[in-house]
Structure formats: structure tokens, C-alpha cells
Amino acid sequence: MTKLPKFFRVGQTFARPRLEDLSGEVVRQLELIGLKQVVAPEQTVAITVGSRGIANIAAIAKTCVDYFKQIGALPFIIPAMGSHGGATAEGQLLVLESYGVTETLMGCPIRSSMEVIEVCQAVEGFPVYFDQQAGLADHVFVLNRIKPHTRFAGDIESGLMKMMLIGLGKQKGAEVYHRVIMNYSFDQIVRSVSRTVIERCGIVGGLAILENAYEETAQLCALRPNEIEAREPELLRQVKEWMPGLPFDHAELLIVDRIGKDISGTGMDTNVIGRKLNDHGSPSELPHIHHIYVRGLTEATHGNATGLGIAEMCHRRVIEEMDMELVRMNCITAGHITAAMIPLDFPSDMEAIRVGCQLAGYIEPDRVPVQWIADTLHLEEVECSEAYWDEANRRPDLKILREPTELQWDASGDLIC
């Protein structure tokens, strides 16, 4: 039997700025941009909610709703999530409900529709769509997290600008943008049309949410409409400084316990695994991972295995649990069909890891550099093969939590975690 590597556990510590008085900070930020001087009593305000996995999103949205009520406005919530929720109004309501965002809890209506209006034609020649319900409001307030996108690279990635265009563009807009991205950079696209959307669609401002490496709310920043384009790049740079990462920038094999849409839009965050520019790695990206092995799906992804095609190997149960229709719709809309491709599947972890070590080249199997993570969101503790032992002991930023031990297997040849 092939002798496989021993693994030790390292702990990582990341910067952890976080807000303690969340509701108080929301109100303070909204006061700073002078909404009382712009929003008149009895005017309607559409508040966007839609991106996955934002910490405290229900509490932040509720405080925004209460603030607009307090100044006499009539707020309502709009699901702003492109084609998510199965590209149906009912499905998008269910997505919001999973965030804790319901009419009862928010104390305001939620107006969910997939209908859109055409705002304009971009100079590049594509139509710009906007949620019809939001377009009927007197004002639109954009609420979203700033973070690196898993595919788009530039000064503007995922945040308020993306919410205005793709989120509020619904399924029709999302499909257009993901097609246009094949011809133009995302940065060019959003800059081309965002000013027109702001002017014609009543954007009254936005609240940018910044999170630390532990998925906690680290900072809030309210922006006036004319500040969004200028300020979003600096906020993105700040978030990138706080991002978690793998402890080592090279691995022959990366073992990932679970992927899912609740982890990342691409199942696993390409900013962490170094596959943002190319599904299977680029010499210009770090970390450089030769092969990725996916062991399972999250329960919350409901079979949506989008991003599985980024991996070269997976456990057979992943194939059995995936909902191919969900994956198909997601990947076609996103223009990322390689994310739906099926990797080589294995009946057990033991067989997959044995093959992964074999594919490392002319290296003794027990000396192959392997990293093993739960998922790309939780990187405080990482299992590392013995090949990293000497370097880990020299690194003051890493803490050895357990010395090298043999992998443990169940009767089926699967890892005992």
C-alpha cells in the first residue's frame, strides 16, 4: 500500500477589526450622508438585499428600514440577486427568508418580481436593465457587502456597483452582463453605465458593508450617490488586506471538505485557491495549487455544485448529491460553464488522495505538499502534510496545534475528521 503523508495542524491568526454597536453605527453612517435633506416624508425608498452570506444582514437591513421610517419615508425591500433563487420571484423571497429577511421581521413590504425596465443602451451596445419595482420607487438605497469577486478582477469587483447593475438587473440583466464580460472588463462595464443608472433610477445612496477574515462586520461606510464609484475601490483594497488565505502558497494537492453557494459564488473562493484567472491555475496567481480534491457539498447549497469544475477530483458522493439543473442554470447565466464540468470522481478519500500524491510527479508520496481545509471561508486551522513541517516551525505567524500524525480512515476508506 502507498505510504501517504502524515498531517499536522497549524493555526492562523488574521486581523480582526469588528463593530460592537452595529445598529448605532448604521444610524451614524446614514446621518453622515444627509438623507433627511433628500428624502421627503411619504416618499418610497427601495432597499436592496440579496448577496449571500453577509454577516448581520437582517439586523443591518432592519435598522435601515427603521431609519427611513423615522424620517417619514415609506421603505420597502427589493430582492437584488440577479438570477438567484431559481430566477423566480417566489424563489428570491425564499432566499431572503433564509437570511432572516421577511416582511414580519423587517416591518415593511418586500416587493419581489423578475420584471425589469430598460434604462439605456450602453456605449458598448448592450441594454441596461433595472428592477421594475425599484424603478417605481422615489428613491433606491443600495445595501451590499464589498468583497473581491471570484471571477472579475479590477478596482471594482463585488459591491454597491455590482448590486446596482447585476443584482437589480435581475435574471435578464445578469445574463447580459455575464455575456458582455467576455468582451469587456467588468471595471469598464460598470463605469460605463453606473452614472446613468444613478441619475435615472433614483439612487439616493448606499451602505457598504466590510467584513473581516472571520466573517464579522468590521466596518460600515455610507456613501452619497456621487461617491460610490470613487470610494468603492479603496474599500475593496481594505477588504483584501483583511482576507484570509492558505498558510502556504504552493500545494501539489488541496483537499477541500465542502463547497457550496453559501461558501462562495463559485463554490470555493478563487481568491483563496488562486484560480481566479483560470479554473485550473495560472502561473501568475498565488497560491499555486496543482490539483484540488473536493470531498462534499454543504447542506445549504441544496445540490448546487457550481464550481465543482474548478477541481480536478472529487468524491463520488458529490456527483450523486448534485442537482444538475440548478448547476446548469447558474453556470449558463454566469457564462462560466466550465464551473459545471465533472471532475474525475473516486469511491473513497483514500483512493483520491493516493492518486493526488501520485500525480505530484517524482516525489515520494509521503513527502508530497498537501493542504487540507474545511472550506475557503474557514482557514483559522489548516491540516498540512509533513512536507511543510520545517517551514511551519520557522514561521512566527503560524502556531503548531498538533504534531504530524497518520491519517485515520473508516471502513469505507474515507477520512475520519
Side-chain angles (χ1 to χ4, degrees):
M1 180 177 173
T2 302
K3 187 176 181 182
L4 295 176
K6 293 181 178 180
F7 281 75
F8 64 97
R9 183 176 299 168
V10 299
Q12 303 190 92
T13 302
F14 307 107
R16 199 168 192 170
R18 54 183 165 177
L19 288 175
E20 300 299 337
D21 181 13
L22 190 65
S23 294
E25 182 62 11
V26 172
V27 172
R28 192 180 78 83
Q29 287 293 323
L30 299 187
E31 289 283 338
L32 286 174
I33 60 172
L35 291 170
K36 291 177 183 176
Q37 286 72 53
V38 183
V39 179
E42 301 300 312
Q43 286 190 325
T44 53
V45 181
I47 301 171
T48 67
V49 181
S51 291
R52 296 175 298 270
I54 301 177
N56 303 307
I57 186 59
I60 293 170
K62 178 67 163 65
T63 305
C64 289
V65 168
D66 290 346
Y67 180 84
F68 281 110
K69 283 183 175 179
Q70 185 266 323
I71 65 174
L74 303 173
F76 64 94
I77 286 173
I78 287 288
M81 57 185 78
S83 63
H84 295 169
T88 68
E90 297 77 15
Q92 297 203 341
L93 282 174
L94 289 174
V95 172
L96 290 190
E97 184 178 342
S98 73
Y99 301 163
V101 176
T102 65
E103 291 188 343
T104 300
L105 294 172
M106 296 296 105
C108 73
I110 298 177
R111 299 179 184 169
S112 182
S113 168
M114 300 306 294
E115 297 300 316
V116 293
I117 58 173
E118 184 174 327
V119 178
C120 64
Q121 284 278 325
V123 294
E124 290 84 359
F126 61 88
V128 177
Y129 296 111
F130 196 78
D131 182 281
Q132 185 182 69
Q133 293 295 316
L136 294 171
D138 295 306
H139 304 283
V140 177
F141 186 75
V142 187
L143 174 64
N144 202 20
R145 174 182 53 192
I146 305 290
K147 64 173 291 189
H149 197 276
T150 54
R151 293 191 73 205
F152 308 149
D155 290 337
I156 296 170
E157 296 187 20
S158 187
L160 301 180
M161 302 274 275
K162 178 172 176 276
M163 176 67 84
M164 283 192 296
L165 304 182
I166 296 180
L168 283 167
K170 311 301 280 195
Q171 195 275 337
K172 199 168 183 179
E175 185 174 359
V176 167
Y177 289 116
H178 284 103
R179 289 173 61 193
V180 174
I181 196 70
M182 305 299 176
N183 308 106
Y184 304 96
S185 73
F186 184 67
D187 191 276
Q188 177 180 340
I189 293 167
V190 295
R191 291 184 190 275
S192 173
V193 301
S194 62
R195 292 173 197 173
T196 302
V197 169
I198 287 171
E199 291 168 3
R200 296 187 185 180
C201 299
I203 307 297
V204 73
L207 183 65
I209 304 167
L210 282 64
E211 294 181 354
N212 62 29
Y214 301 88
E215 301 178 77
E216 299 165 331
T217 310
Q219 182 181 336
L220 299 172
C221 184
L223 300 173
R224 296 178 176 86
N226 62 354
E227 296 175 324
I228 294 174
E229 182 180 338
R231 294 286 307 283
E232 193 163 317
E234 69 180 66
L235 297 176
L236 178 61
R237 288 192 293 271
Q238 176 61 80
V239 172
K240 286 182 176 180
E241 288 181 10
W242 293 335
M243 275 194 69
L246 297 174
F248 305 100
D249 63 10
H250 167 263
E252 288 298 320
L253 177 64
L254 175 67
I255 303 169
V256 183
D257 283 343
R258 55 186 176 257
I259 66 169
K261 296 295 288 186
D262 53 318
I263 301 296
S264 172
T266 49
M268 45 188 160
D269 192 335
T270 56
N271 295 284
V272 170
I273 61 175
R275 297 189 174 194
K276 184 168 180 171
L277 303 180
N278 186 299
D279 281 353
H280 295 283
S282 165
S284 63
E285 287 187 277
L286 290 177
H288 180 69
I289 309 296
H290 193 184
H291 293 114
I292 294 176
Y293 168 57
V294 172
R295 300 183 62 234
L297 300 177
T298 64
E299 184 177 348
T301 203
H302 302 296
N304 190 340
T306 292
L308 183 59
I310 296 172
E312 288 78 21
M313 303 187 293
C314 71
H315 196 289
R316 189 158 295 162
R317 63 173 164 255
V318 179
I319 308 297
E320 294 168 350
E321 293 172 5
M322 72 187 298
D323 183 331
M324 198 61 209
E325 285 308 308
L326 272 180
V327 176
R328 182 190 302 275
M329 177 181 290
N330 196 156
C331 293
I332 290 174
T333 299
H336 189 193
I337 60 171
T338 54
M341 297 178 78
I342 306 299
L344 194 62
D345 66 289
F346 294 85
S348 71
D349 293 328
M350 183 184 292
E351 179 67 9
I353 295 171
R354 184 191 66 78
V355 171
C357 289
Q358 175 186 330
L359 294 172
Y362 198 65
I363 305 173
E364 289 299 319
D366 61 343
R367 297 303 303 164
V368 173
V370 185
Q371 296 180 63
W372 174 14
I373 61 175
D375 55 58
T376 55
L377 281 180
H378 301 96
L379 299 169
E380 304 97 297
E381 296 186 5
V382 178
E383 298 284 338
C384 303
S385 68
E386 206 169 9
Y388 297 107
W389 178 250
D390 291 341
E391 182 180 350
N393 278 282
R394 293 193 300 267
R395 292 260 301 271
D397 59 316
L398 300 179
K399 182 178 181 180
I400 305 296
L401 301 178
R402 193 194 66 231
E403 295 198 353
T405 59
E406 300 280 357
L407 294 172
Q408 300 296 306
W409 313 98
D410 66 15
S412 301
D414 287 334
L415 287 162
I416 298 174
C417 301

